[in-house]
């Protein structure tokens, strides 16, 4: 009589993520710094508008701030990969805070020339510390287990969604008794305090092990000329960003054309955020059997289909339900894109890989706003909804074509990809409980330093990689 099959171990929970040594403190510190990304955009917008009396100037300043922040994100992330988080992040955060204070002083009262305000905003945008990409690199170092890492990325995405929802609320409460520029000062305080706590966390402590790429990473870099393996996650992120920003404008236009109260629009968009949070939590809780590429294609295609169908909604409440369904696929799409980028990137480029995905989301968001804004008023709304839906479907098609074309995350020698759960020598990485992650290893060597024990990373992790809505200011994520 054959022995019964061994019981399958229970999937790790979100609580298990926070029980990883040093995870709670590190995550809380990173979220504190990232909360500034939910506070500063609205504070800048309101402050500039109050100081200049012009929405055109306010929009131009926000475009400068967000555009520079997005375009230079990979550059700032490369500094973290090269010098380590402890050496690179504090100067960025300090300079960013100083420039935010200068901007706050300029817009505290009317009368300052608009070009001077725009210059200060652009300089500040150039220094936004990439706390989101660095935290995701820290997760991959802290958590060796693949299922637990997926839950960590999902938790990270849901928490960030909540920051973007609560940030404007905090600014709204603040300006009832203080000038809008005080919100900029609050953002500066958050980013300095959060970054300081982040880089001094025990998870970031330890001797420098070197930031030079190993021979495997060097070979891959020379063949691809950049960070390899990012076509799929970057394309998906750009499509998701375009879809998200387009939907936000379309919901506003839908309410206006239907003669609905404009005060209902935030509730519809809140349903989008609620759906995203729900989808992120469910995605992280499921023990997926599909590969990350297959899941990413499915999530992206579903996102495009739901957005396209939403344009046929007969009323605002039906549209609200459609927005919940749309949100359900946003967080899983972006979470999986970030995880895939992290898994496929060389071990000395993990922070930069996350930054490229981040930049793609924000670039897609900016493009979506422009394209959708140009279409509204010229075409029927259902057709306008189909545009962002088609962008997501096109990203899903790219994912499938890359998969069929044999896109691989293998290294130059055909072994597991550098940075995909293996050390510089190609041996599997193990997590050691209680040890810290060297600040200069995060995004450099990528080796886990603290995990849930000493369990070895599954051998198939290199080949089956398993990372909220980003606001249009371009400094999120």
């Amino acid at each position: 009589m054959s022995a019964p099959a061994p019981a399958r171990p229970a999937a790790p929970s979100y609580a298990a993520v926070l029980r990883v040594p040093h995870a709670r403190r590190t995550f809380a510190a990173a979220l504190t710094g990232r909360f500034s990304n939910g506070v500063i955009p609205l504070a800048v917008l309101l402050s500039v508008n109050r100081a200049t009396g012009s929405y055109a100037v306010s929009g131009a300043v926000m475009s400068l701030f967000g555009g520079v922040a997005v375009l230079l994100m990979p550059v700032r992330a490369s500094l973290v990969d090269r010098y380590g988080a402890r050496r690179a992040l504090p100067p960025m955060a300090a300079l960013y805070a100083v420039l935010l204070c200068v901007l706050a002083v300029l817009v505290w009262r009317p009368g300052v020339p608009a070009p001077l305000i725009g210059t200060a905003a652009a300089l500040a945008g150039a220094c936004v510390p990439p706390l989101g990409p660095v935290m995701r690199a820290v997760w991959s170092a802290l958590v060796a287990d693949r299922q637990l890492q997926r839950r960590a990325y999902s938790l990270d995405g849901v928490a960030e969604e909540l920051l973007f929802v609560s940030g404007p609320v905090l600014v709204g409460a603040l300006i009832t008794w203080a000038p809008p520029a005080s919100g900029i000062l609050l953002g500066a305080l958050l980013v300095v305090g959060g970054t300081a706590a982040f880089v001094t966390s025990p998870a970031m402590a330890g001797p420098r092990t070197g930031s030079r790429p190993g021979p495997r990473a060097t070979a891959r870099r020379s063949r691809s000329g950049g960070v390899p393996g990012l076509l799929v996650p970057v394309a998906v992120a750009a499509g998701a960003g375009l879809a998200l920003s387009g939907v936000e404008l379309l919901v506003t236009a839908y309410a206006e054309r239907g003669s609905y109260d404009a005060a209902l629009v935030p509730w519809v968009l809140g349903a989008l955020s609620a759906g995203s949070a729900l989808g992120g939590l469910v995605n992280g809780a499921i023990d997926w059997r599909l590969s990350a590429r297959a899941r990413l294609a499915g999530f992206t295609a579903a996102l495009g289909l739901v957005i396209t169908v939403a344009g046929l909604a007969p009323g605002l409440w039906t549209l609200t339900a459609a927005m919940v369904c749309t949100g359900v696929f946003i967080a899983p799409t972006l979470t999986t894109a970030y995880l895939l980028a992290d898994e496929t990137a060389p071990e000395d480029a993990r922070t930069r890989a996350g930054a490229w995905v981040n930049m793609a989301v924000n670039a897609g968001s900016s493009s979506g706003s422009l394209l959708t804004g140009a279409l509204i008023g010229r075409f029927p709304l259902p057709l306008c909804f189909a545009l962002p839906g088609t962008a997501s479907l096109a990203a899903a098609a790219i994912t499938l074509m890359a998969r069929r074309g044999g896109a691989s995350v293998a290294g130059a020698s055909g072994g597991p990809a550098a940075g995909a759960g293996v050390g510089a020598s190609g041996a599997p990485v193990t997590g050691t409980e209680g040890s810290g992650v060297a600040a200069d290893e995060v995004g450099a060597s990528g080796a886990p330093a603290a995990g849930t024990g000493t369990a070895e990373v599954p051998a198939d992790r290199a080949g089956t990689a398993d990372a909220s809505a980003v606001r249009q200011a371009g400094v999120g994520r």
Side-chain angles (χ1 to χ4, degrees), residues 74-122:
V75 176
R76 297 191 298 272
S78 69
L79 294 175
V80 176
D81 280 328
R82 182 173 182 180
Y83 297 106
R86 274 198 161 176
R87 294 176 63 186
L89 287 179
M92 284 187 210
L95 185 56
Y96 181 43
V98 168
L99 291 168
L100 286 176
C101 291
V102 170
L103 180 60
V105 170
L106 292 176
V107 298
W108 197 271
R109 290 185 178 88
V112 177
L116 187 58
I117 296 175
T119 300

Side-chain angles (χ1 to χ4, degrees), residues 189-233:
L189 180 63
L190 287 170
V191 75
V192 168
T195 302
F198 183 55
V199 299
T200 56
S201 166
M204 307 288 283
R208 182 183 177 92
T209 61
S211 62
R212 293 183 179 275
R216 190 187 302 267
T218 303
R220 297 182 67 204
R221 181 76 51 80
S222 63
R223 292 188 181 191
S224 63
V227 181
L230 292 186
L231 172 62
V232 168

Side-chain angles (χ1 to χ4, degrees), residues 29 31-37 39-40 93-94 96-98 100-101 104 131 170 174 181-197:
L31 289 179
T32 300
R34 292 157 74 183
F35 192 28
S36 64
N37 295 336
V39 170
I40 290 172
Y96 181 43
V98 168
L100 286 176
C101 291
L131 293 175
L170 179 59
L174 182 63
S182 60
I184 302 177
L185 297 178
L186 174 61
L189 180 63
L190 287 170
V191 75
V192 168
T195 302

